[in-house]
Coordinates of all heavy atoms in Angstrom, one line a residue:
E1 N -54.5 25.1 81.7 CA -53.5 25.2 80.7 C -52.3 24.2 81.0 O -51.8 24.3 82.2 CB -53.0 26.6 80.5 CG -51.8 26.8 79.5 CD -51.3 28.2 79.5 OE1 -51.8 29.0 80.3 OE2 -50.4 28.4 78.7
G2 N -51.8 23.5 80.1 CA -50.7 22.6 80.4 C -51.1 21.2 80.9 O -50.3 20.3 80.9
E3 N -52.3 21.1 81.4 CA -52.8 19.8 82.0 C -53.8 19.2 81.1 O -54.0 18.0 81.2 CB -53.3 20.0 83.4 CG -52.2 20.5 84.4 CD -52.8 20.6 85.8 OE1 -53.8 19.9 86.1 OE2 -52.2 21.3 86.6
N4 N -54.5 20.0 80.3 CA -55.6 19.5 79.4 C -55.2 19.9 78.0 O -55.2 21.1 77.8 CB -56.9 20.0 79.9 CG -58.0 19.6 78.9 OD1 -57.8 18.8 78.0 ND2 -59.2 20.0 79.2
P5 N -54.9 19.0 77.1 CA -54.4 19.4 75.8 C -55.4 20.2 75.0 O -55.1 20.9 74.1 CB -54.1 18.1 75.1 CG -54.8 17.0 75.9 CD -54.8 17.5 77.3
S6 N -56.7 20.1 75.4 CA -57.8 20.8 74.6 C -58.1 22.2 75.3 O -58.9 22.9 74.7 CB -59.0 20.0 74.6 OG -59.6 19.8 75.8
S7 N -57.4 22.5 76.4 CA -57.8 23.7 77.1 C -57.3 25.0 76.4 O -56.4 25.0 75.6 CB -57.3 23.7 78.5 OG -55.9 23.8 78.5
A8 N -58.1 26.0 76.6 CA -57.7 27.3 76.0 C -56.8 28.1 77.0 O -56.8 27.8 78.2 CB -58.9 28.1 75.7
V9 N -56.1 29.1 76.5 CA -55.4 30.0 77.4 C -56.3 31.2 77.6 O -56.6 32.0 76.7 CB -54.1 30.5 76.8 CG1 -53.4 31.4 77.7 CG2 -53.2 29.3 76.5
F10 N -56.9 31.3 78.8 CA -57.8 32.3 79.1 C -57.2 33.7 79.4 O -56.5 33.8 80.4 CB -58.8 31.9 80.2 CG -59.5 30.6 79.9 CD1 -59.1 29.4 80.5 CD2 -60.4 30.5 78.9 CE1 -59.8 28.2 80.3 CE2 -61.0 29.3 78.6 CZ -60.7 28.2 79.3
K11 N -57.4 34.6 78.5 CA -56.7 35.9 78.7 C -57.6 37.0 79.3 O -57.1 38.0 79.7 CB -56.4 36.5 77.2 CG -55.4 35.6 76.5 CD -54.0 35.7 77.0 CE -53.0 35.0 76.1 NZ -51.6 35.1 76.7
K12 N -58.9 36.7 79.5 CA -59.8 37.8 80.0 C -60.9 37.1 80.8 O -61.5 36.1 80.3 CB -60.3 38.6 78.9 CG -61.2 39.8 79.2 CD -61.6 40.5 78.0 CE -62.6 41.6 78.3 NZ -63.1 42.3 77.1
V13 N -61.3 37.7 81.9 CA -62.4 37.2 82.6 C -63.3 38.4 83.1 O -62.8 39.5 83.4 CB -62.0 36.4 83.9 CG1 -61.3 35.1 83.5 CG2 -61.1 37.2 84.8
T14 N -64.6 38.2 83.1 CA -65.5 39.1 83.6 C -66.2 38.5 84.8 O -66.9 37.5 84.7 CB -66.6 39.5 82.6 OG1 -65.9 40.0 81.4 CG2 -67.6 40.5 83.1
L15 N -66.0 39.1 86.0 CA -66.4 38.5 87.2 C -67.6 39.3 87.8 O -67.4 40.4 88.3 CB -65.3 38.4 88.3 CG -64.1 37.6 87.8 CD1 -62.8 38.0 88.5 CD2 -64.4 36.1 88.1
P16 N -68.8 38.7 87.7 CA -70.0 39.4 88.4 C -69.8 39.6 89.8 O -69.3 38.7 90.5 CB -71.1 38.5 88.0 CG -70.7 37.7 86.8 CD -69.2 37.5 87.0
L17 N -70.2 40.8 90.3 CA -70.1 41.0 91.8 C -71.2 40.3 92.6 O -71.1 40.2 93.8 CB -70.2 42.5 92.0 CG -69.0 43.3 91.4 CD1 -69.3 44.8 91.5 CD2 -67.7 43.0 92.1
H18 N -72.2 39.8 91.9 CA -73.4 39.2 92.5 C -73.4 37.7 92.0 O -74.0 37.4 91.0 CB -74.7 39.9 92.2 CG -75.7 39.6 93.2 ND1 -77.1 39.9 93.0 CD2 -75.7 39.0 94.4 CE1 -77.8 39.5 94.1 NE2 -77.0 38.9 94.9
Q19 N -72.8 36.8 92.8 CA -72.8 35.4 92.4 C -73.4 34.5 93.5 O -73.1 33.3 93.5 CB -71.4 34.9 92.1 CG -70.7 35.7 90.9 CD -69.4 35.1 90.5 OE1 -69.2 33.9 90.6 NE2 -68.4 36.0 90.1
N20 N -74.2 35.1 94.3 CA -74.6 34.4 95.6 C -75.9 34.9 96.1 O -76.3 36.0 95.7 CB -73.6 34.5 96.6 CG -73.1 35.9 96.8 OD1 -72.1 36.4 96.2 ND2 -73.8 36.7 97.7
V21 N -76.5 34.2 97.0 CA -77.7 34.8 97.8 C -77.1 35.9 98.6 O -76.1 35.9 99.2 CB -78.3 33.7 98.7 CG1 -79.2 34.3 99.7 CG2 -79.0 32.6 97.8
G22 N -77.9 37.0 98.6 CA -77.5 38.2 99.4 C -77.1 39.3 98.6 O -77.5 39.5 97.4
A23 N -76.3 40.2 99.2 CA -75.9 41.4 98.5 C -74.7 41.2 97.6 O -73.9 40.3 97.8 CB -75.5 42.5 99.5
P24 N -74.6 42.0 96.5 CA -73.4 42.0 95.7 C -72.1 42.3 96.5 O -72.2 43.1 97.4 CB -73.7 43.0 94.6 CG -75.1 43.2 94.6 CD -75.5 43.0 96.1
A25 N -71.0 41.8 96.1 CA -69.8 42.2 96.7 C -69.4 43.6 96.2 O -69.8 44.1 95.2 CB -68.6 41.3 96.3
E26 N -68.6 44.3 97.1 CA -68.2 45.7 96.8 C -66.8 45.7 96.3 O -65.9 45.1 96.9 CB -68.3 46.6 98.0 CG -69.7 46.8 98.5 CD -69.8 47.6 99.7 OE1 -68.8 47.8 100.5 OE2 -70.9 48.2 100.0
P27 N -66.5 46.3 95.1 CA -65.1 46.3 94.6 C -64.1 46.8 95.6 O -64.3 47.8 96.3 CB -65.2 47.3 93.4 CG -66.7 47.2 93.0 CD -67.4 47.1 94.3
A28 N -62.9 46.1 95.6 CA -61.8 46.5 96.4 C -60.6 46.8 95.6 O -59.5 46.9 96.1 CB -61.5 45.3 97.4
V29 N -60.8 46.9 94.3 CA -59.7 47.3 93.3 C -60.2 48.4 92.4 O -61.4 48.7 92.3 CB -59.3 46.1 92.5 CG1 -58.6 45.0 93.3 CG2 -60.5 45.5 91.7
N30 N -59.2 49.0 91.7 CA -59.5 50.1 90.8 C -59.0 49.7 89.4 O -58.1 48.9 89.3 CB -58.9 51.4 91.3 CG -59.5 51.8 92.6 OD1 -60.7 52.0 92.7 ND2 -58.6 52.0 93.6
V31 N -59.5 50.4 88.4 CA -59.0 50.2 87.0 C -57.5 50.6 87.0 O -57.1 51.6 87.6 CB -59.8 51.1 86.1 CG1 -59.1 51.1 84.7 CG2 -61.2 50.7 86.0
G32 N -56.7 49.7 86.4 CA -55.3 49.9 86.3 C -54.5 49.1 87.4 O -53.3 48.9 87.2
D33 N -55.2 48.5 88.4 CA -54.5 47.7 89.4 C -54.0 46.4 88.8 O -54.7 45.8 87.9 CB -55.4 47.4 90.6 CG -55.7 48.6 91.5 OD1 -55.0 49.7 91.3 OD2 -56.6 48.5 92.3
T34 N -52.9 46.0 89.2 CA -52.4 44.6 88.9 C -52.7 43.7 89.9 O -52.5 43.9 91.1 CB -50.9 44.7 88.6 OG1 -50.5 45.6 87.6 CG2 -50.3 43.3 88.2
V35 N -53.3 42.5 89.6 CA -53.7 41.5 90.5 C -53.1 40.1 90.2 O -52.9 39.8 89.0 CB -55.2 41.4 90.6 CG1 -55.8 42.7 91.2 CG2 -55.8 41.0 89.3
E36 N -52.9 39.3 91.2 CA -52.5 37.9 91.0 C -53.7 37.0 91.3 O -54.6 37.4 92.0 CB -51.4 37.6 92.0 CG -50.1 38.4 91.8 CD -49.4 38.0 90.5 OE1 -49.5 36.9 90.1 OE2 -48.9 39.0 89.9
K37 N -53.7 35.9 90.6 CA -54.7 34.9 90.8 C -54.9 34.6 92.3 O -53.9 34.4 93.0 CB -54.4 33.6 90.1 CG -55.5 32.5 90.3 CD -55.1 31.3 89.5 CE -56.2 30.2 89.7 NZ -55.8 29.0 89.0
G38 N -56.1 34.8 92.9 CA -56.4 34.5 94.2 C -56.5 35.8 95.1 O -56.9 35.7 96.2
D39 N -56.1 36.9 94.5 CA -56.2 38.2 95.3 C -57.6 38.6 95.4 O -58.5 38.4 94.6 CB -55.5 39.3 94.5 CG -53.9 39.2 94.6 OD1 -53.4 38.4 95.3 OD2 -53.3 40.0 93.9
L40 N -57.9 39.2 96.6 CA -59.3 39.7 96.9 C -59.5 40.9 96.0 O -58.7 41.9 96.0 CB -59.4 40.1 98.4 CG -60.7 40.7 98.8 CD1 -61.8 39.6 98.8 CD2 -60.6 41.4 100.2
I41 N -60.6 40.9 95.2 CA -61.0 42.0 94.4 C -62.3 42.7 94.8 O -62.6 43.8 94.3 CB -61.0 41.6 92.9 CG1 -62.0 40.5 92.6 CG2 -59.5 41.2 92.4 CD1 -62.2 40.2 91.2
A42 N -63.1 42.0 95.6 CA -64.4 42.6 96.0 C -64.7 41.9 97.3 O -64.5 40.7 97.5 CB -65.5 42.4 95.0
R43 N -65.3 42.7 98.2 CA -65.6 42.1 99.6 C -67.0 42.2 100.0 O -67.8 43.0 99.4 CB -64.7 42.8 100.6 CG -64.9 44.3 100.7 CD -64.1 44.9 101.9 NE -62.7 44.6 101.8 CZ -61.8 45.4 101.2 NH1 -62.2 46.6 100.6 NH2 -60.5 45.1 101.2
I44 N -67.4 41.4 101.0 CA -68.8 41.5 101.5 C -69.1 42.8 102.0 O -68.3 43.4 102.8 CB -69.0 40.4 102.6 CG1 -68.6 39.0 102.1 CG2 -70.4 40.4 103.1 CD1 -68.5 38.0 103.2
P45 N -70.2 43.4 101.6 CA -70.6 44.7 102.3 C -70.8 44.5 103.8 O -71.2 43.5 104.3 CB -72.0 45.0 101.6 CG -72.0 44.2 100.3 CD -71.2 43.0 100.7
K46 N -70.5 45.6 104.5 CA -70.5 45.5 106.0 C -71.9 45.2 106.4 O -72.9 45.8 106.0 CB -70.1 46.9 106.5 CG -70.0 46.9 108.1 CD -69.5 48.2 108.6 CE -69.4 48.2 110.1 NZ -68.9 49.5 110.6

């Protein structure tokens, strides 16, 4: 946004927990939490 005149303002994202080889990430947030871009929301299982 702001750098590409054709870009959309993205209001919502759905982030799959399994985007890689191996195990899915485990959620580190709960419904209702406020997050900033770049915050950790799911971590590698032990």
Side-chain angles (χ1 to χ4, degrees):
E1 180 187 0
E3 296 183 23
N4 176 4
S6 67
S7 70
V9 179
F10 301 110
K11 297 288 190 181
K12 181 180 176 182
V13 292
T14 300
L15 296 158
L17 296 171
H18 199 192
Q19 301 189 32
N20 50 267
V21 168
E26 294 180 339
V29 293
N30 298 302
V31 173
D33 288 352
T34 298
V35 295
E36 296 294 324
K37 179 179 177 180
D39 285 352
L40 179 71
I41 60 171
R43 59 174 59 92
I44 304 170
K46 186 177 180 180

